[in-house]
């Protein structure tokens, strides 16, 4: 991993000629991702993010923390005990520089030793699950990290709208695999990250997977094709 996302975050924080990231998927063309967006304040976050942060309580694990904006808000404005977790060492370095007291560079599957009252997975939090083939591994791990009365707040988007439709309204989707399983590629300053698997889940598919792995699930908020869900232990 070249850690291009982390490099962009570090460049922006230190003002070392930062440039916008470029992202693409196996079903979408190149798109610009302004690095400044990763440093936004609560007021600039979308409704789903704001709702998740307002509902957070107790000891919090922020998975896929990035530049740490969610963690920073919970730590400084809500006075919560927050651990920012990200696979990107450079991102975690910036989290610490921004004042986050607990920030860890680690794959969530290898993270252990603590349990939490709230686990956050935001900005298409289901992406980290990669594919339906391995989603059980991730959900079992999340189950082990969650306190008995804890909650997982996770968002995703049903991307069925991105596929072509015929005259009768039928959708042309891939014959093999689940339509939300994409290859995701990040580009920055002329370099390209190797493609990673990234998973967008419709709510019913997430519901079935969650219930099969010891969770109850509730849809908290819907914003067009995106939604926020809460998982609790059965």
């Amino acid at each position: 991993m070249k850690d291009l996302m982390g490099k962009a975050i570090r460049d922006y924080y230190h003002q070392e000629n930062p440039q916008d990231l470029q992202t693409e998927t196996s079903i979408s063309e190149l798109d610009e991702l302004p690095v400044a967006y990763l440093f936004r304040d609560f007021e600039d976050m979308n409704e789903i993010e704001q709702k998740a942060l307002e509902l957070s309580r107790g000891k919090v694990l922020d998975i896929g923390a990035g530049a740490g904006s969610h963690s920073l808000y919970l730590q400084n404005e809500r006075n919560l005990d927050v651990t920012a977790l990200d696979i990107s060492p450079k991102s975690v370095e910036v989290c610490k520089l921004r004042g986050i007291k607990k920030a860890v560079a680690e794959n969530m599957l290898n993270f252990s030793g603590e349990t939490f009252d709230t686990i956050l997975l935001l900005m298409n939090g289901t992406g980290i699950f990669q594919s339906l083939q391995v989603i059980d591994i991730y959900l079992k791990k999340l189950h082990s990290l969650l306190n008995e009365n804890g909650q997982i707040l996770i968002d995703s988007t049903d991307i069925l709208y991105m596929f072509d439709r015929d005259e009768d309204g039928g959708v042309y989707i891939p014959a093999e695999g689940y339509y939300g399983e994409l290859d995701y590629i990040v580009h920055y300053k002329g370099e390209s990250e190797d493609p990673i698997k990234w998973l967008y889940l419709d709510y019913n598919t997430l519901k079935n997977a969650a219930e099969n792995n010891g969770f109850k699930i509730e849809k908290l908020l819907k914003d067009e094709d995106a939604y926020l869900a809460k998982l609790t232990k059965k």
Side-chain angles (χ1 to χ4, degrees), residues 6-225:
K7 184 177 180 180
I9 287 170
R10 188 177 65 181
D11 286 353
Y12 182 89
Y13 179 82
H14 291 290
Q15 287 303 296
E16 295 179 352
N17 187 32
Q19 298 177 16
D20 289 345
L21 289 150
Q22 292 182 310
T23 64
E24 62 180 314
T25 74
S26 44
I27 63 167
S28 63
E29 297 178 352
L30 214 58
D31 192 22
E32 297 284 337
L33 174 60
V35 187
Y37 179 75
L38 304 177
F39 287 81
R40 65 202 179 284
D41 294 327
F42 180 83
E43 292 74 20
D44 297 319
M45 294 178 190
N46 64 41
E47 187 180 4
I48 283 177
E49 291 173 287
Q50 291 180 348
K51 182 71 170 178
L53 295 179
E54 288 167 351
L55 291 173
S56 296
R57 54 176 170 78
K59 188 177 175 185
V60 181
L61 178 64
D62 180 12
I63 297 177
S69 294
H70 298 140
S71 294
L72 208 58
Y73 173 80
L74 293 175
Q75 175 187 281
N76 294 350
E77 303 301 324
R78 296 283 314 283
N79 297 311
L80 295 179
D81 178 355
V82 185
T83 299
L85 181 70
D86 202 284
I87 200 169
S88 159
K90 294 183 180 71
S91 296
V92 168
E93 173 191 322
V94 170
C95 285
K96 292 177 179 177
L97 289 170
R98 295 184 77 193
I100 296 172
K101 297 172 185 175
K102 298 179 182 178
V104 180
E106 185 66 89
N107 186 312
M108 66 158 282
L109 294 179
N110 300 326
F111 181 75
S112 61
E114 297 182 72
T115 54
F116 298 86
D117 302 303
T118 299
I119 298 177
L120 289 179
L121 295 107
L122 298 177
M123 296 180 68
N124 189 50
T126 64
I128 200 170
F129 299 155
Q130 300 185 63
S131 77
L132 289 180
Q133 288 185 323
V134 294
I135 191 173
D136 290 350
I137 296 171
Y138 285 88
L139 288 171
K140 284 181 171 64
K141 179 63 178 182
L142 288 170
H143 199 280
S144 74
L145 292 171
L146 191 65
N147 287 331
E148 283 307 311
N149 295 316
Q151 59 177 351
I152 297 170
L153 301 173
I154 184 169
D155 71 336
S156 195
T157 301
D158 184 351
I159 62 168
L160 195 62
Y161 72 92
M162 296 183 68
F163 294 85
D164 293 332
R165 295 177 181 270
D166 60 26
E167 294 177 355
D168 298 321
V171 182
Y172 296 106
I173 58 176
E176 297 180 1
Y178 173 66
Y179 66 85
E181 296 177 354
L182 305 183
D183 291 328
Y184 184 81
I185 306 169
V186 173
H187 309 277
Y188 184 64
K189 289 186 174 180
E191 292 189 89
S192 299
E193 203 75 76
D194 290 336
I196 62 169
K197 295 294 182 185
W198 197 247
L199 182 63
Y200 289 87
L201 281 178
D202 68 277
Y203 177 74
N204 286 333
T205 300
L206 175 60
K207 182 176 185 289
N208 290 336
E211 290 176 346
N212 287 337
N213 284 280
F215 289 109
K216 294 182 289 185
I217 184 170
E218 176 186 357
K219 186 189 292 184
L220 300 178
L221 188 64
K222 189 175 187 298
D223 182 9
E224 296 183 345
D225 296 290

